[in-house]
Amino acid sequence: MLASIYRGIWGAAVHTLRISRGTPPCRFLSTCEGVPFGLADAESIFALSSGHGRCGVAVVRASGPASATALRCMAGVSHSPPPPRTALLRSIRDPISKEVLDRGLVFWFPGPHSFTGEDSVEFHIHGGPAVITAVLQALGSVPGMRPAEAGEFTRRAFQAGKLDLTEVEGLGDLIHAETEAQRRQALRQMSGELGHLYQDWTHRLKRCLAHVEAFIDFSEDELIEDGVLNQVDQWVCDLQAEMERHLKDERRGERLRSGVQVVIAGATNAGKSSLLNTLCQRPAAIVSPIAGTTRDIVETALDIGGFPVLLSDTAGLRESPDLVEREGVRRARERVEQADLTLVVADCADLPSDAQQAAAFLQEHLRSVLNPQEQPETVLPADRFLLVLNKMDLLPEDQRLELDGELRRVSGFPPVCLISCHTKEGLHDFLTVLHSSVKTLCGDPLSGAPTLTQARHRAHLQQCFAAMAQYQRYRDLDLALAAEGVRLALTSLGRITGRVGAEEILDIIFKDFCIGK
């Protein structure tokens, strides 16, 4: 959907010109045959908005100058406009044959007070495939109507200034949200919180640029008070500090949007595939007593306490003469390097009976799984992996207690969970720890400042940050180049929301400075 929106941004001027050149639409004509040709040239659009498949109620939406004609021809609305945003019970008819297609509710949304900013109409009809097809075909026969492209309603809303690009992306994320946390983050972005943050920064950058431009143009005439550039210096420093904090979010918003990459890794026959099947509650991976059964990556999507998780089972890590298994091991190590969180699985049956020796064994096991052999000194953050000791039902109770006490005494050790995929013992505590780790990686979508959710946001903000550094670098050398740095920063920031204009810079200049007074 967003690809269509981005393509449509550059066609906004052409689209507007095409509409303006058409014959002004007559909103409520007596017959469909009397529709002026200009309506067809205006490209009114229609589509099923409620999704495909059988349902109780389906919503068919139309937008554009011909919407009023469709309302008149298909719903029998009188020549005067119906009350806006009011449900009307009507028989829906074919505009040519006059056959009744269905009986449902009709809503009229006159522009600019509609989602797209254009005249719009909605038909709330019964959700059977035959009814939906008949109504869509009927709309297609209305002069000036054509089927909408993917995302075209939202594209028109953006072109009409109803949404900025961050709100458009939030709407898309809300439609595709699969977990509660994703829904909350998407709704917050769609409501404009992230866009408002960037608009505030944009306004402040415009003021910086306006003051610098005014100083360049009017300082020789002594029309600009002293200290203007010092004030700009402070504003730029403040903005840089805020952006730096915003960028140092550890990708929480992006991770929540796309899902936390959780990888199960460990030696062969430790119970990795059994853990995957236990967590997703279905036989997603083959389990057998034969070492090296899993050769490739097995993925499944999970909802862990409202947070999205992409769980991956990997091949057991060992040296093998088998070429296929060696490739599986290579892919497993590659996936561990890319993981947000690694579940390092060990077999309790392989542990020494002595607690200290068992702790040393597990430390070596962690190093062999998480660190490449050529970098044994690398220390990974303890919050990026969990140690899962499977088959705890094979350990005597006293040995469990001794091992737990010894592991607690070892500094820098990750959280340890003892479970049994066979008896399900310890599974509840493990899920609690897993949920806590995933929540830490994603953060709370409802608290604090809105977070970055798209890679393109991060790229444009980094460009903006670098451009402000250009201002500081050239401030005392060449003020014109310094001003260009602020202008580049403003352009990069405007690309996030899709809104930036040079005319607003002039407005601020004449608002903040009494030139020639």
Side-chain angles (χ1 to χ4, degrees):
M1 180 181 76
L2 295 180
S4 299
I5 294 171
Y6 298 150
R7 288 196 301 269
I9 294 172
W10 306 110
V14 176
H15 173 76
T16 304
L17 181 62
R18 185 185 302 163
I19 292 177
S20 64
R21 286 180 176 176
T23 304
C26 294
R27 286 197 169 181
F28 291 90
L29 304 174
S30 58
T31 63
C32 292
E33 289 77 9
V35 178
F37 178 76
L39 278 178
D41 195 40
E43 289 192 330
S44 297
I45 57 174
F46 67 90
L48 175 66
S49 296
S50 55
H52 297 279
R54 289 181 175 85
C55 55
V57 177
V59 178
V60 176
R61 174 190 289 174
S63 179
S67 297
T69 304
L71 184 64
R72 170 68 184 89
C73 297
M74 296 177 61
V77 176
S78 61
H79 289 72
S80 60
R85 295 168 291 280
T86 301
L88 301 176
L89 181 61
R90 288 289 188 272
S91 294
I92 313 298
R93 298 177 180 273
D94 185 284
I96 298 177
S97 67
K98 308 305 179 184
E99 175 189 359
V100 176
L101 306 176
D102 191 22
R103 187 167 175 80
L105 298 178
V106 177
F107 292 84
W108 168 244
F109 301 94
H113 306 294
S114 66
F115 174 72
T116 60
E118 305 172 319
D119 287 349
S120 301
V121 62
E122 287 185 1
F123 299 92
H124 292 221
I125 57 179
H126 293 96
V131 176
I132 294 173
T133 300
V135 173
L136 291 176
Q137 288 178 345
L139 277 169
S141 66
V142 174
M145 281 287 180
R146 65 165 177 82
E149 299 176 1
E152 190 168 4
F153 285 94
T154 308
R155 183 179 68 194
R156 293 191 177 196
F158 168 76
Q159 293 172 346
K162 294 289 185 176
L163 302 171
D164 67 24
L165 284 186
T166 63
E167 293 169 332
V168 168
E169 290 164 331
L171 175 59
D173 290 346
L174 184 63
I175 292 173
H176 293 97
E178 295 181 349
T179 71
E180 187 67 11
Q182 286 178 318
R183 178 193 65 79
R184 290 171 177 169
Q185 176 172 271
L187 188 61
R188 189 177 182 187
Q189 182 171 331
M190 191 191 72
S191 66
E193 286 196 43
L194 190 63
H196 292 160
L197 174 65
Y198 296 152
Q199 285 295 331
D200 175 64
W201 288 349
T202 298
H203 175 74
R204 290 158 65 182
L205 272 176
K206 287 174 183 175
R207 175 157 296 190
C208 290
L209 182 58
H211 284 217
V212 174
E213 295 281 9
F215 187 86
I216 293 174
D217 293 339
F218 304 107
S219 60
E220 294 182 358
D221 298 330
E222 297 183 354
L223 297 173
I224 302 298
E225 62 270 20
D226 295 334
V228 167
L229 291 184
N230 293 334
Q231 192 174 34
V232 172
D233 294 343
Q234 185 61 48
W235 289 343
V236 170
C237 287
D238 291 344
L239 278 170
Q240 279 187 311
E242 292 179 32
M243 287 187 187
E244 188 173 20
R245 287 195 299 269
H246 190 58
L247 286 167
K248 289 182 177 179
D249 63 343
E250 298 182 355
R251 294 182 52 250
R252 289 190 180 94
E254 295 170 72
R255 192 178 290 120
L256 176 56
R257 178 177 177 268
S258 59
V260 181
Q261 299 285 337
V262 178
V263 174
I264 304 174
T268 57
N269 268 15
K272 301 184 300 299
S273 297
S274 297
L275 179 59
L276 176 78
N277 293 344
T278 300
L279 291 176
C280 66
Q281 299 180 355
R282 62 184 178 87
I286 298 174
V287 176
S288 81
I290 302 174
T293 301
T294 302
R295 301 290 186 93
D296 208 346
I297 308 295
V298 180
E299 293 182 339
T300 184
L302 296 177
D303 182 340
I304 304 293
F307 292 91
V309 166
L310 184 62
L311 187 64
S312 301
D313 182 25
T314 60
L317 302 177
R318 68 171 182 176
E319 296 294 332
S320 173
D322 187 291
L323 290 177
V324 177
E325 186 174 358
R326 283 161 58 184
E327 174 62 19
V329 171
R330 187 196 67 79
R331 294 186 182 190
R333 291 199 179 278
E334 183 179 65
R335 188 59 63 94
V336 168
E337 293 177 1
Q338 299 169 351
D340 297 314
L341 180 67
T342 302
L343 307 180
V344 182
V345 182
D347 189 344
C348 286
D350 295 335
L351 298 179
S353 57
D354 180 76
Q356 290 185 347
Q357 293 180 2
F361 172 85
L362 290 173
Q363 283 183 312
E364 181 59 32
H365 181 63
L366 285 172
R367 277 194 286 271
S368 67
V369 172
L370 298 171
N371 294 341
Q373 292 182 356
E374 64 271 18
Q375 296 177 337
E377 72 283 354
T378 302
V379 179
L380 294 179
D383 60 346
R384 290 304 179 92
F385 56 95
L386 303 178
L387 180 57
V388 182
L389 304 183
N390 190 26
K391 307 178 186 179
M392 66 176 294
D393 52 305
L394 303 179
L395 284 182
E397 183 65 28
D398 58 343
Q399 189 176 346
R400 295 185 202 174
L401 295 176
E402 290 180 9
L403 178 61
D404 182 66
E406 181 63 29
L407 294 178
R408 290 178 185 274
R409 284 192 290 270
V410 179
S411 62
F413 219 73
V416 181
C417 301
L418 278 80
I419 67 168
S420 172
C421 293
H422 177 63
T423 65
K424 305 300 186 286
E425 187 178 0
L427 188 60
H428 181 270
D429 293 338
F430 165 68
L431 287 174
T432 301
V433 175
L434 178 60
H435 173 258
S436 176
S437 299
V438 170
K439 184 176 181 180
T440 300
L441 290 170
C442 293
D444 186 351
L446 295 181
S447 65
T451 58
L452 290 162
T453 61
Q454 302 268 353
R456 76 171 194 91
H457 298 173
R458 188 175 300 277
H460 288 316
L461 281 176
Q462 289 170 340
Q463 293 170 1
C464 178
F465 190 86
M468 285 193 291
Q470 176 179 326
Y471 166 81
Q472 294 174 323
R473 187 163 59 251
Y474 289 102
R475 194 269 199 197
D476 295 324
L477 300 176
D478 190 325
L479 202 54
L481 287 177
E484 182 63 21
V486 180
R487 189 177 293 106
L488 291 174
L490 187 60
T491 300
S492 297
L493 197 56
R495 285 173 179 158
I496 301 179
T497 60
R499 297 174 181 172
V500 62
E503 191 65 29
E504 298 177 9
I505 307 299
L506 298 178
D507 292 341
I508 294 175
I509 288 178
F510 289 100
K511 177 182 177 182
D512 287 1
F513 299 96
C514 297
I515 304 299
K517 185 176 180 180

